Amino acid sequence: MAEKKAQLSVDGIEETIDLPVYEGSTGPDVVDVRSLTSKGIFTYDPGFMSTASCESKITYIDGDKGVLLYRGYPIEQLAEKSDFMECCFLLLNGELPSVDEKAQFIDEIKHHTMVHEQIRPFFNGFPRHAHPMAIMIGAVGALSAFYHNDLQIDNIEHRKAAAVRLIAKIPTLAAMCYKYSIGMPFMHPRNDLSFSENFLYMMFGNPCEEYIPSPVLADAMDKIFLLHADHEQNASTSTVRLAGSTGANPYACISSGITALWGPSHGGANEAVLTMLNEIGDVSRIPEFIDRAKDKEDPFKLMGFGHRVYKNFDPRAHVLRDAANNVLEELGLTNDPLLPIAKELERIALEDEYFIERNLYPNVDFYSGIILKAIGIPTNLFTVIFATGRTPGWVAHWHEMISNPFKIGRPRQLYTGPTFRDYPDK
Ligand code: SDX
C-alpha cells in the first residue's frame, strides 16, 4: 500500500503522533490508527460512520456517485448481461468464469442443493406461523452439525466446500420455510433446472402436478438474487466477518449474518416497505406519511428510503424500478395498486426539502418488494430472499478474511460508568 502520513496532536500527549495513510485502488484514503492504543488513546466512531474495518477487493461503492461494482464490474452491466451463478463465481474468485468454469461451478452447486434428511424434522419444532427468518437462523447454523469433518477453517478445501454448500442449500431451506408455513410437502430440488427456476419450483411446485417455472419470473428472481449478492461492509457482512474472526465455523458465521440482516433498518426493510405501502393504501394518504417520516416525535421512517453510504440513488433501486415495471407488464399486473403508490411516494419524497437535505433516496428495498409480490413470494419471506441473494457476498468476505492474516475483532469503548469503588460493609 502506498503510504502517506497524517499527524495527530492530542492535548496531554507531548509528541505529535505520526499515522500512516494508505490509498486504495479507488475510494477514500484510510488513516491507520492502530498505534494509538500504545499512546493510551482510542478513536471513537459509534456506528462506524468513518471506520474502515478491513481491506477488501470484493465490492466497491461510491455513495456520492451511486456506483456499485462487484470485483470492478458495474451492477447495471451485470444485471443486464450476467446472471446470479456467474456473479457468485465472480464474487468468490475475483474474475468472471470461462464457459467451462461456469458450467463446472453450476454443476457443483446443483449437486449440493439437497439438505440432510434429518434437517426435515428440525422444522417440526417450529410453529407453522414462525417467521421464516427465525427458522433460517436456526437451520443454517444447524448445518454445521452435519459437516463436522469439513470445518477446519484453515483448510482451503473445507472453505470451498462450505461456500458451495451454503450457496446451494440456503435456497432449499428458504423454500422449505415457505412449504412448512402452508402445510405443503417439501419439494426436492431438481438438477435439470437453473438456480432460479429450481428455487421457484421448490417454492411453488407440488408433487401432484407438473410445475414449469415461468421464464419471466425466473429471470426476475435471478435479477433479485444478483442485485442483493454483495454490498461491501454492511451490517450483516460486518457481523459475518466479526463472527469469523473468532474462528467460528462458516455455517455459524452465515447464521449470524442472517440474524443481523433481519432488522428493519437493514434487510428487514423490504418486508417493511410492503407493509408501509399497504398501510398508506392510497396516494391521497402519502402526505400524511411523509409528515410522519419528518416528525422527530414519531418513530416512523419511510421504509426503503435512505442509506448509510448512498447519498445519491442506490443504483440497484434504478434497476429494480425498471424490472418492476417489466415484470408487472409481462404478468399483466400493471393494475397492482402498490406500484402507483410507490412511484408517487418516490416522486413526492424526492421533491421534499427534508429528504433532499438529507440525501434520502430510494434504496434496494424500495422496489424489490413489488417484484417479489408479483412473483408470488409471501411478504414475510422477503428478507429470506435477501439472505439467499446475499449468501455469496457473505461467504466471499468470510473467505477473503480467513485466507489472509487476521486478528479477532475486539473494539474498545469510551467508558463513562462508575469508577472504582469498594463493596459497602454490611
Ligand atoms: C439496506 O449498508 C448497506 O449497504 C445496507 C444494504 C445492503 O445491501 O446491505 O444496502 C441494505 O439495509 C438498505 C437500507 C434499508 N433500510 C431502510 O430502508 C430503513 C429506512 N432507512 C433508515 O432507517 C436509514 O436511512 C438507514 C438505516 C438506512 C441509514 O441510517 P443512517 O445512515 O444511520 O442515517 P440516519 O438514521 O442518521 O439518518 C440521517 C437523517 C436523520 O435525520 P436528522 O437526525 O439528521 O434530522 O435522515 C433521517 C434521520 O432521521 N432519515 C430518515 C430516513 N432515513 C434517515 N427519515 C425518514 N425516513 C427515512 N427512511
Side-chain angles (χ1 to χ4, degrees):
M1 291 185 197
E3 205 171 277
K4 298 190 286 194
K5 281 223 179 310
Q7 293 207 313
L8 182 65
S9 61
V10 180
D11 290 350
I13 296 179
E14 251 179 57
E15 82 273 22
T16 303
I17 303 167
D18 285 338
L19 299 170
V21 174
Y22 306 131
E23 291 173 314
S25 45
T26 182
D29 291 352
V30 298
V31 179
D32 183 343
V33 294
R34 286 176 287 185
S35 65
L36 290 182
T37 308
S38 64
K39 313 285 183 197
I41 194 166
F42 298 146
T43 59
Y44 184 64
D45 185 14
F48 308 120
M49 309 274 286
S50 304
T51 293
S53 62
C54 63
E55 176 189 345
S56 180
K57 302 179 189 310
I58 299 173
T59 291
Y60 176 70
I61 300 171
D62 182 328
D64 294 332
K65 296 187 186 124
V67 169
L68 169 56
L69 310 177
Y70 290 170
R71 299 284 190 176
Y73 295 100
I75 196 69
E76 298 85 348
Q77 293 181 25
L78 291 169
E80 187 192 337
K81 301 172 183 169
S82 184
D83 59 39
F84 181 59
M85 283 287 94
E86 185 172 77
C87 283
C88 288
F89 184 99
L90 173 65
L91 290 167
L92 290 170
N93 299 293
E95 296 297 337
L96 290 169
S98 65
V99 171
D100 291 347
E101 285 172 328
K102 183 176 179 181
Q104 188 190 339
F105 179 73
I106 289 173
D107 189 63
E108 215 178 348
I109 294 291
K110 282 186 174 182
H111 287 88
H112 286 85
T113 47
M114 282 205 282
V115 293
H116 195 291
E117 278 299 290
Q118 283 179 246
I119 291 262
R120 289 165 169 266
F122 184 86
F123 281 75
N124 296 334
F126 290 92
R128 293 276 179 185
H129 60 272
H131 195 290
M133 284 295 277
I135 302 176
M136 288 299 287
I137 291 166
V140 172
L143 285 175
S144 51
F146 295 85
Y147 304 109
H148 44 270
N149 294 329
D150 291 348
L151 292 182
Q152 285 114 41
I153 61 168
D154 54 357
N155 179 328
I156 178 114
E157 293 314 314
H158 288 194
R159 294 206 295 273
K160 284 180 177 174
V164 168
R165 283 177 173 137
L166 283 158
I167 292 170
K169 296 180 193 303
I170 282 181
T172 305
L173 292 171
M176 289 170 80
C177 286
Y178 175 56
K179 289 301 195 188
Y180 182 72
S181 74
I182 55 174
M184 290 274 284
F186 298 141
M187 299 300 286
H188 281 119
R190 278 177 44 186
N191 291 348
D192 61 324
L193 298 175
S194 73
F195 183 93
S196 295
E197 288 169 342
N198 179 47
F199 179 70
L200 293 175
Y201 169 76
M202 294 190 293
M203 281 286 293
F204 303 119
N206 72 63
C208 306
E209 57 198 15
E210 194 184 21
Y211 173 85
I212 299 171
S214 140
V216 170
L217 297 190
D219 180 59
M221 200 70 253
D222 202 79
K223 205 177 289 298
I224 289 267
F225 287 140
L226 184 157
L227 289 166
H228 286 80
D230 193 45
H231 214 242
E232 196 207 75
Q233 306 310 324
N234 58 84
S236 53
T237 300
S238 297
T239 302
V240 169
R241 279 181 173 262
L242 195 55
S245 75
T246 72
N249 74 69
Y251 305 96
C253 294
I254 300 308
S255 173
S256 73
I258 297 173
T259 303
L261 187 74
W262 196 359
S265 290
H266 190 13
N270 54 15
E271 179 177 349
V273 166
L274 251 286
T275 306
M276 175 187 72
L277 292 176
N278 280 308
E279 197 186 341
I280 292 173
D282 185 277
V283 291
S284 63
R285 294 193 62 205
I286 289 175
E288 172 197 333
F289 282 82
I290 295 275
D291 290 343
R292 284 189 56 195
K294 299 194 284 193
D295 177 358
K296 293 303 169 198
E297 300 308 309
D298 188 332
F300 173 78
K301 285 195 189 292
L302 218 47
M303 302 316 281
F305 272 80
H307 198 276
R308 170 60 57 77
V309 177
Y310 289 121
K311 299 311 170 193
N312 194 319
F313 248 91
D314 179 337
R316 301 166 297 179
H318 266 153
V319 175
L320 285 168
R321 181 180 56 193
D322 299 345
N325 280 322
N326 297 341
V327 168
L328 293 177
E329 220 162 275
E330 280 160 346
L331 295 176
L333 297 174
T334 45
N335 59 350
D336 180 326
L338 296 186
L339 190 60
I341 296 175
K343 287 189 169 179
E344 183 60 4
L345 183 58
E346 177 185 356
R347 186 190 67 78
I348 295 175
L350 294 182
E351 289 174 358
D352 185 293
E353 261 319 297
Y354 174 93
F355 290 86
I356 294 168
E357 270 167 28
R358 292 165 178 81
N359 299 309
L360 301 177
Y361 291 88
N363 58 48
V364 66
D365 294 300
F366 188 63
Y367 282 104
S368 58
I370 290 173
I371 299 175
L372 292 173
K373 177 174 170 279
I375 292 174
I377 307 282
T379 306
N380 73 353
L381 215 75
F382 284 8
T383 311
V384 173
I385 300 297
F386 193 146
T388 303
R390 184 54 52 89
T391 297
W394 286 332
V395 171
H397 281 276
W398 171 78
H399 184 72
E400 178 180 67
M401 180 182 72
I402 301 289
S403 306
N404 294 288
F406 67 96
K407 296 180 80 63
I408 187 169
R410 204 284 187 209
R412 302 304 303 273
Q413 63 181 6
L414 170 66
Y415 178 70
T416 55
T419 54
F420 182 91
R421 52 182 172 169
D422 286 315
Y423 190 84
D425 296 333
K426 285 270 168 72

